[in-house]
Amino acid sequence: MDPDGNITIKWDFMTNSGDMYMVSVSIYNYQLYRHIERPGWRLGWTWPNDEVIWDMRGAETTNQGNCSKFKGDNIPHCCEKSPTIVDLLPGTPYNMQTKNCCRGGVLSSLTQDRTLAMASFQMSMESANISSPATGKPSNFTLGIPGYTCSNATVVAPSKFQFDKQRTTQALMTWEITCSFSQFRESATPSCCVSLSTFYNSTIVSCPRCSCGCQGEPTLPTCSRQASPYFLRLPNGDGGSTTSPAVLCTPHMCPIRVHWHVKESYREYWRVKVTITNFNMYSNYSDWNLVIQHPNFRSILQIFSFNYLPLVQYGEINDTAMFWGIKHYNDMLIQCGENGNVQTEMLLHKDAADFTFGGGWAFPRRLSFNGHDCVMPPPDSYPTMPNGSSTLSSLVHCVSLVLSSFLLSVVLLLL
């Protein structure tokens, strides 16, 4: 659903004073729907030689390292061989800020807010070998976010900057690193599941059992009755357990459940209700998003209570839509409880060429929450048409014929 999505890191060498360089580092989130939540990115690499960072603006290293070889009051910001860089927090003094910094490492997706999908910082570094492609580049780049792997740094065309309306400047040299995401690298188990229901069948198809784990298995989190409501106890490194994070114990054991309900059918339209429920006892989801794939999304007429944008990635195929909360209204999916859910309804036009309620056509093909694919029920468990009817329209037609015959008989008796 996002074939070209990645996170790109650019190192722009702005000035060169002998062995001292001023570098501007920018992190671009080029993913349509996958964003970076708190605690945010933690950019890391390994220096090839004895490079040091003398000063930083817009970010900081987590450790200074051993700078004992430097004498006097002028001590570098970081002397570590493998530094870890973190974003500064909101409210940082202005003299420590740079453009696009100081959001605690949070990056929006391109679709939700393009202006918040990048971060940057500046650093003054010292290196005698930085100009050598063979020995000068750092290696082992990491984002510090589960699921992401990063390439090596490669030399690309120097970045250009608009100085004013008439003048453009450019970096002395630019390196580029590309980081890609894999859900399988992030976690061995999913984190969300899907349940289904309809107005024409009283059966509610629940999330598949053990979608995100099973209760009682020694290799997976287990449940405990030590708190009310029940909560999930996660094993820690010393063989004990911790109660944070905690997920409400359910047959599916997922932190997030998405429920798709076919609510109503009209002559030319049909209505669907989507509810996202948070089963995490202690964690909120800020700036959440939901991506759904369904062939009728090309005919969406109206969305209630959510923001919406189609994700058209393959020619004119418009079967994928992204939904997210309205700012200061429901953009925060709060922890499990009475208000731990958000919901929307959507009105869709019935396309005569392929619309049907039979064969599971009315249900989504794929869903993802915050960029994580959700576990769908098996197709043979989907709610079926009553009495084996292939389409709801045929059922309605039969009912209307019976009613018409009954009314005609009543009229004849009255006459």
Side-chain angles (χ1 to χ4, degrees):
M1 294 188 287
D2 186 11
D4 301 318
N6 68 76
I7 291 181
T8 298
I9 304 165
K10 282 195 173 184
W11 283 43
D12 294 313
F13 292 85
M14 308 304 294
T15 61
N16 176 6
S17 302
D19 292 342
M20 294 291 297
Y21 296 84
M22 174 64 73
V23 181
S24 177
V25 180
S26 301
I27 304 173
Y28 300 90
N29 184 10
Y30 289 129
Q31 299 176 110
L32 292 176
Y33 56 84
R34 186 173 288 111
H35 62 279
I36 306 302
E37 302 175 86
R38 291 183 175 87
W41 53 265
R42 295 170 60 89
L43 181 61
W45 63 80
T46 300
W47 292 116
N49 299 293
D50 296 326
E51 291 80 3
V52 296
I53 300 173
W54 280 96
D55 186 49
M56 296 196 77
R57 293 290 185 272
E60 61 186 359
T61 60
T62 55
N63 295 298
Q64 185 182 37
N66 184 7
C67 297
S68 58
K69 70 177 183 179
F70 296 91
K71 308 302 180 183
D73 297 332
N74 194 16
I75 303 297
H77 177 82
C78 180
C79 302
E80 285 208 324
K81 182 75 171 179
S82 299
T84 298
I85 316 298
V86 295
D87 195 9
L88 297 179
L89 298 174
T92 296
Y94 288 111
N95 63 340
M96 297 297 295
Q97 294 187 26
T98 59
K99 187 178 180 181
N100 298 311
C101 85
C102 312
R103 294 194 292 267
V106 174
L107 295 176
S108 173
S109 65
L110 278 180
T111 304
Q112 285 175 272
D113 193 338
R114 185 177 294 266
T115 64
L116 301 178
M118 71 165 294
S120 63
F121 61 88
Q122 294 178 349
M123 61 181 179
S124 299
M125 55 171 292
E126 181 180 7
S127 174
N129 301 298
I130 203 71
S131 61
S132 171
T135 61
K137 295 192 191 72
S139 59
N140 301 325
F141 282 91
T142 61
L143 274 176
I145 307 169
Y148 284 90
T149 55
C150 299
S151 69
N152 294 323
T154 57
V155 178
V156 296
S159 299
K160 296 185 178 182
F161 309 95
Q162 194 68 40
F163 183 77
D164 56 31
K165 293 183 178 180
Q166 303 181 90
R167 176 175 169 79
T168 300
T169 61
Q170 71 177 44
L172 304 178
M173 180 170 61
T174 298
W175 293 343
E176 187 173 280
I177 303 97
T178 302
C179 303
S180 59
F181 177 82
S182 168
Q183 185 168 335
F184 298 103
R185 292 194 190 106
E186 180 190 31
S187 175
T189 58
S191 58
C192 61
C193 64
V194 180
S195 58
L196 308 169
S197 63
T198 69
F199 70 91
Y200 54 79
N201 191 318
S202 59
T203 302
I204 297 178
V205 179
S206 303
C207 287
R209 188 174 183 82
C210 300
S211 293
C212 303
C214 291
Q215 303 176 28
E217 292 187 10
T219 57
L220 292 171
T222 57
C223 288
S224 170
R225 289 176 176 264
Q226 294 181 5
S228 181
Y230 302 150
F231 61 89
L232 187 69
R233 295 178 63 85
L234 300 177
N236 59 22
D238 59 5
S241 61
T242 176
T243 58
S244 180
V247 176
L248 187 72
C249 284
T250 58
H252 54 77
M253 298 295 284
C254 291
I256 293 293
R257 183 191 67 195
V258 182
H259 185 74
W260 175 281
H261 176 63
V262 180
K263 186 176 181 179
E264 292 184 74
S265 176
Y266 311 103
R267 169 179 275 184
E268 296 185 6
Y269 312 102
W270 62 299
R271 183 184 292 262
V272 173
K273 181 177 181 179
V274 177
T275 304
I276 309 171
T277 304
N278 183 6
F279 290 100
N280 198 310
M281 299 299 297
Y282 299 113
S283 295
N284 302 326
Y285 292 88
S286 58
D287 297 320
W288 58 268
N289 67 67
L290 180 70
V291 177
I292 307 178
Q293 198 170 50
H294 192 283
N296 207 186
F297 277 171
R298 64 178 177 267
S299 301
I300 287 182
L301 297 178
Q302 192 170 4
I303 300 291
F304 303 90
S305 304
F306 284 3
N307 289 307
Y308 152 77
L309 195 70
L311 300 181
V312 181
Q313 295 299 304
Y314 300 96
E316 297 181 355
I317 300 176
N318 182 10
D319 64 352
T320 307
M322 177 172 169
F323 307 89
W324 67 99
I326 298 172
K327 201 71 174 175
H328 307 306
Y329 175 60
N330 58 1
D331 60 329
M332 174 77 75
L333 177 55
I334 65 174
Q335 64 196 39
C336 182
E338 182 180 355
N339 298 314
N341 67 84
V342 291
Q343 50 190 300
T344 184
E345 292 190 9
M346 60 185 80
L347 193 64
L348 304 100
H349 183 265
K350 292 181 177 178
D351 296 333
D354 51 9
F355 177 83
T356 177
F357 279 124
W361 187 91
F363 303 111
R365 308 304 187 259
R366 183 178 176 186
L367 290 92
S368 73
F369 178 81
N370 277 359
H372 300 88
D373 286 341
C374 301
V375 178
M376 294 282 297
D380 59 1
S381 68
Y382 286 5
T384 57
M385 297 295 297
N387 300 325
S389 176
S390 61
T391 65
L392 189 66
S393 57
S394 60
L395 176 67
V396 173
H397 180 64
C398 292
V399 172
S400 63
L401 287 177
V402 172
L403 289 175
S404 299
S405 300
F406 174 75
L407 291 175
L408 181 59
S409 301
V410 171
V411 171
L412 292 175
L413 288 174
L414 293 175
L415 292 175

